[in-house]
Amino acid sequence: MVWGTGMPTNILRQRSVLTKPHDAGRLTGPRDVVIETGQIKLRARLADTLTAMRIWSALPLFSTVEVWGACIHFEVPVHTGRERTARLNVSPGDICFWSEDDRVIIGFGPTPISKPNEIRLMRPCNIWATTNDDVTALRAVQGGDKITMAAVRS
C-alpha cells in the first residue's frame, strides 16, 4: 500500500469491541437485533456465544453489502475467533460470522460453491443469531446497498 492513498479497513478495526462493562460476561436473557437494508428488515435472536456477545457490544453497526450467489455479506468492526460449533453448511435463517474476514454472512440460497440443496459458505462460520423472518427477501439486495444492525430494546 502506498501511504496517502487511503486507509486500510484493518486499521479502522483496531479498537476493542468489549468496551461496555455490562457486556463483560455471557449474554443474559434473550437479545434481539434488527438488520435493515432498503425496505427489508430482519429481526434475529442472538445465540449464547462469544461471537454474539462481541457483536452485541459493538451495536449499532453500519456497513455496505456485498453479494455472493444467494448470500449477502458485509464487514463489521468485530474480532473473534472461529468457534467449535462453526459450520460450513448453514440453513436459511442462520446469521453467521466469518471470523477470518470480520464479516456477517446471511445465506438464503445456493452460493457458487454449493452442492444441490445446500447453502455452503466459503469457510466454516460462527452462527451467532437466527431469524424466523423470510430471508429470501434478501434477493432484492444489491452490492453496494447500505445495511445496519441495531439492538432491539424491549
Side-chain angles (χ1 to χ4, degrees):
M1 175 179 154
V2 177
W3 291 103
T5 60
M7 183 178 292
T9 56
N10 284 350
I11 291 174
L12 298 174
R13 295 190 228 148
Q14 294 296 318
R15 68 178 181 87
S16 169
V17 297
L18 291 175
T19 57
K20 299 175 186 170
H22 67 279
D23 287 327
R26 298 301 258 181
L27 296 175
T28 56
R31 297 200 186 182
D32 293 343
V33 296
V34 64
I35 301 168
E36 234 178 304
T37 180
Q39 300 297 314
I40 300 165
K41 287 185 184 183
L42 300 175
R43 187 175 177 135
R45 172 76 34 105
L46 274 65
D48 186 17
T49 66
L50 182 61
T51 301
M53 183 185 67
R54 288 185 170 165
I55 290 172
W56 180 262
S57 296
L59 296 175
L61 295 169
F62 308 90
S63 194
T64 304
V65 172
E66 294 181 45
V67 177
W68 186 59
C71 177
I72 67 164
H73 57 99
F74 51 95
E75 187 175 27
V76 293
V78 175
H79 302 292
T80 193
R82 185 185 299 171
E83 297 174 359
R84 290 181 194 186
T85 57
R87 296 195 337 228
L88 185 61
N89 292 328
V90 298
S91 300
D94 289 341
I95 312 294
C96 308
F97 185 79
W98 181 15
S99 60
E100 290 89 352
D101 205 29
D102 298 339
R103 290 183 169 274
V104 170
I105 300 175
I106 307 171
F108 50 90
T111 66
I113 61 171
S114 292
K115 293 180 181 174
N117 300 315
E118 72 176 10
I119 301 172
R120 181 180 297 245
L121 304 178
M122 54 285 281
R123 297 272 187 275
C125 294
N126 303 335
I127 297 174
W128 62 273
T130 56
T131 183
N132 290 323
D133 293 340
D134 181 12
V135 291
T136 60
L138 295 172
R139 292 185 203 281
V141 176
Q142 297 187 9
D145 288 354
K146 302 298 180 198
I147 192 162
T148 62
M149 285 196 319
V152 175
R153 305 286 181 188
S154 303

